[in-house]
Amino acid sequence: MTTETDKSIFFKGVRDAAPFILVVSPFATLFGVVATEAGLNVLEALTFSFAVIAGAAQFTALALMVDNAPVILVLASALAVNLRMAMYSAALTPYLGAAPLWHRALAAYFIVDQSYALASIRYEQNRQWSLRQKLVYFWGTVVPVCPFWYLFTVVGAVLGSAIPEWMALDFAVPITFIALIMPMLRTRAHLAAALVSVVGALVLSFLPYNLGLFAAGIAAMMTGAEIERRTQPEGSV
């Protein structure tokens, strides 16, 4: 029987998350490029990544900023896209909820898709881990993801700043957003929500301040949730 140390558990988290570098790096680079194309400088693009650190929400906010949407709409849309982080936090509470408040707050900031998915799997496989070991593993999964997100945001922003104005990439934001969303349309609920959002945005395009987008987004979320509820097998939660 081998005895796991904090160090071995930490590096287990690093090893588990390391493959995600191949995903995070180009994605963050692309965000940096489109951020500068949208008018942000390198520091502003980096600050954006520090403040939000969520790819889908960042691209959503950026797309709305390019469309000159009101700030409140940008914030609300980004929060809506990022609502899954609240569910991630709730799901990890049984494992990390006893940690000190400052530690939980810091961990909540660094919860991303990768750290949540890896932590939830390993916690189920290693129920004997102490709270300290669970936290150590979580931070191990963060190391190959979040720092690279910041680093390659800067790389992308520098690259984007070097692109001459005559090579403007105005099409980059909407195309990137579409490429980001399409793989997520995996169920009938996803497809219905996407359809309602598109139709709603077109029908309500007459509303001022791009409020039609916000209303269409709310209608889409309600539609997706209702279809998800109706298709849920009986007895499941």
Side-chain angles (χ1 to χ4, degrees):
M1 179 177 178
T2 58
T3 301
E4 292 184 297
T5 64
D6 288 352
K7 184 178 179 180
S8 69
I9 291 175
F10 177 81
F11 282 105
K12 179 181 288 185
V14 174
R15 287 195 302 273
D16 287 348
F20 289 115
I21 295 174
L22 299 177
V23 178
V24 169
S25 301
F27 197 30
T29 302
L30 185 59
F31 173 76
V33 171
V34 297
T36 54
E37 188 61 27
L40 303 183
N41 60 35
V42 176
L43 179 59
E44 289 170 338
L46 177 60
T47 302
F48 202 151
S49 278
F50 262 114
V52 183
I53 192 169
Q58 289 181 228
F59 278 107
T60 300
L62 205 58
L64 291 171
M65 290 167 62
V66 170
D67 287 340
N68 295 316
V71 173
I72 186 67
L73 180 60
V74 174
L75 293 175
S77 300
L79 285 174
V81 173
N82 241 14
L83 274 179
R84 70 186 188 285
M85 298 302 169
M87 292 186 281
Y88 291 169
S89 296
L92 291 181
T93 296
Y95 305 106
L96 306 180
L101 178 61
W102 70 268
H103 209 146
R104 280 183 283 144
L106 195 59
Y109 170 77
F110 283 106
I111 287 179
V112 293
D113 295 325
Q114 295 83 0
S115 61
Y116 162 73
L118 292 172
S120 59
I121 292 172
R122 285 296 187 185
Y123 292 167
E124 281 298 310
Q125 294 173 341
N126 300 275
R127 289 177 173 272
Q128 78 283 2
W129 278 357
S130 66
L131 173 61
R132 177 182 174 83
Q133 289 172 319
K134 290 172 183 171
L135 287 168
V136 165
Y137 179 80
F138 176 83
W139 292 117
T141 65
V142 168
V143 169
V145 176
C146 297
F148 283 88
W149 181 258
Y150 303 138
L151 173 63
F152 281 90
T153 293
V154 174
V155 171
V158 171
L159 288 173
S161 301
I163 296 175
E165 291 188 6
W166 62 270
M167 288 181 63
L169 302 174
D170 294 343
F171 57 87
V173 173
I175 287 180
T176 301
F177 191 71
I178 292 172
L180 182 70
I181 294 299
M182 289 304 289
M184 297 180 182
L185 305 180
R186 297 189 298 269
T187 68
R188 282 185 291 175
H190 295 154
L191 290 170
L195 180 62
V196 169
S197 67
V198 171
V199 173
L202 292 174
V203 171
L204 301 175
S205 61
F206 65 91
L207 292 176
Y209 305 114
N210 284 326
L211 287 175
L213 288 177
F214 190 61
I218 293 175
M221 286 188 282
M222 293 173 65
T223 301
E226 178 60 19
I227 292 181
E228 186 74 23
R229 185 185 69 79
R230 294 191 180 198
T231 56
Q232 197 83 1
E234 287 190 18
S236 62
V237 294

